[in-house]
Amino acid sequence: MVPEISVIGAGGWGTTLGNLLATKGFLVKIWSYEQETVDSINNYHENVQFLPSVKLSSDLIAFSKFEEVIPNAEILVFAVPSSHVRKIAEQISPFFKNDQEYKLVSVSKGLEYTTFKLMSEVLREVLPSNVKVAALSGPNLSSEVAHMQPTATVIASIHEEILPELVDLFHTAYFKPYAITDERGIEICGAVKNITAIAVGFCDGLNLGNNSKGSIMTLGLHEMNRIGKHFGCTRGTFFGIAGIGDLIATCSSKLSRNHFYGEEIARGKTLEQIRDEMHGMVAEGVWAAESIYQFAQENDIDLPLTTQVYKVLHEGKLMEKAIKDLLALI
């Protein structure tokens, strides 16, 4: 039997994964908050706002109502910004049937600000118990995957029994998933690498050279380990695809929204100007820096990189001073 698949969130990454599955022959329903995105996907087979210049499969169909995409979907991809995960999860929860098992793959990255819970923990708390949650993360810049450039990724879950099906579901000639059980580990990697990418963007915007960027990326890897130790994660996760692999890709690519955000701030642009240039796309590292900084303060975890990025973004510290203070601590 061919499973019914739905994607919640039609940003660049949600659209890319939905299209990947649609090109494999699945009929994929995708939910979008923006009606113009729904119309663009259905009428022109393109997500003009979030994934321009990528022709989408006709088997990817967009909707604006949860009741049209949730009840019969055996597999769901959850692709909304971390700051909206709880709210959207609460909205979709009533539409799950009681007599059906669902598999939900989260690609949202970050810690919830008020509770410091990982996205998988928030989803399990809000959604019915018959929804089994997994997380997907890796060096997966949506534009490159959308253009079928080769990449690897990791799918993790505490529900080991669902991993073989999910690995097979997402596997293509250009997209290679690997299964592990360290779900918390890959989620922490996904949050911290975005903070690091913003800091590397600072360096590029200030023309500080490669030595400073290499030092900051190394410190980002250390901070993944420090947070991961607190959560009881497997150390090897941080040296794998979802850890150092995603860290390098996000910090070094001009396609990275978080790198772009840091670079543009360093060039003197305001938050409003950057948001306009990003056309509604989200730089998750901005919110991750705030939530992880507060979490570290409450749990006495030394995170100098996260601290300095937080102070620049949320307290107005001069980034030249922040980078100087940061490198003095390495």
Side-chain angles (χ1 to χ4, degrees), residues 6-290:
S6 289
V7 180
I8 307 302
W13 192 214
T15 303
T16 295
L17 290 174
N19 193 55
L20 179 151
L21 295 169
T23 57
K24 290 188 67 175
F26 298 108
L27 180 64
V28 181
K29 298 177 180 179
I30 186 166
W31 172 86
S32 175
Y33 175 79
E34 296 88 359
Q35 185 61 46
E36 59 267 33
T37 299
V38 172
D39 295 338
S40 176
I41 292 172
N42 290 339
N43 296 335
Y44 305 106
H45 304 301
E46 184 178 357
N47 188 334
V48 175
Q49 182 175 5
F50 297 112
L51 196 68
S53 303
V54 174
K55 193 66 175 177
L56 302 175
S57 169
S58 59
D59 287 329
L60 180 66
I61 304 172
F63 298 87
S64 59
K65 295 180 180 179
F66 292 127
E67 58 265 35
E68 296 175 310
V69 298
I70 300 295
N72 297 315
E74 300 166 57
I75 297 171
L76 298 104
V77 178
F78 195 86
V80 303
S82 60
S83 57
H84 298 300
V85 164
R86 182 176 293 273
K87 179 179 71 175
I88 297 299
E90 289 172 344
Q91 290 175 359
I92 68 174
S93 184
F95 297 104
F96 289 95
K97 298 178 180 178
N98 295 325
D99 59 350
Q100 179 178 321
E101 180 179 282
Y102 299 85
K103 303 174 187 70
L104 184 147
V105 181
S106 170
V107 298
S108 304
K109 296 179 172 68
L111 288 181
E112 187 175 46
Y113 179 70
T114 53
T115 66
F116 307 127
K117 292 180 179 180
L118 294 162
M119 297 297 99
S120 63
E121 294 174 321
V122 174
L123 290 167
R124 287 195 179 93
E125 181 180 302
V126 175
L127 298 178
S129 59
N130 58 328
V131 181
K132 293 186 175 181
V133 177
L136 182 151
S137 190
N140 305 146
L141 296 161
S142 59
S143 179
E144 291 189 2
V145 177
H147 286 94
M148 300 185 180
Q149 296 180 358
T151 189
T153 197
V154 175
I155 302 176
S157 178
I158 62 174
H159 308 289
E160 295 184 47
E161 70 278 7
I162 71 174
L163 290 173
E165 179 182 359
L166 295 178
V167 166
D168 183 63
L169 181 77
F170 285 97
H171 181 268
T172 72
Y174 61 91
F175 194 70
K176 172 65 175 176
Y178 294 88
I180 65 172
T181 56
D182 188 13
E183 183 183 84
R184 285 182 163 188
I186 72 166
E187 288 188 286
I188 289 166
C189 290
V192 177
K193 60 95 179 181
N194 285 331
I195 300 170
T196 310
I198 290 176
V200 171
F202 292 165
C203 293
D204 279 333
L206 296 171
N207 295 313
L208 296 183
N210 292 315
N211 292 337
S212 59
K213 292 190 291 184
S215 300
I216 284 173
M217 281 191 275
T218 303
L219 189 53
L221 182 60
H222 283 305
E223 295 199 0
M224 284 182 185
N225 272 296
R226 288 173 187 167
I227 301 171
K229 184 177 181 180
H230 179 88
F231 279 94
C233 302
T234 304
R235 189 169 183 267
T237 300
F238 304 103
F239 294 92
I241 293 167
I244 194 169
D246 198 5
L247 181 71
I248 292 170
T250 307
C251 290
S252 60
S253 175
K254 295 294 184 181
L255 296 173
S256 163
R257 294 194 293 270
N258 292 281
H259 180 281
F260 175 82
Y261 196 98
E263 194 170 11
E264 294 302 288
I265 289 178
R267 289 173 175 164
K269 292 187 178 179
T270 66
L271 300 182
E272 291 73 20
Q273 288 173 320
I274 298 170
R275 290 193 190 104
D276 289 342
E277 290 182 23
M278 293 177 70
H279 305 293
M281 296 182 185
V282 176
E284 287 280 14
V286 176
W287 317 117
E290 186 172 13

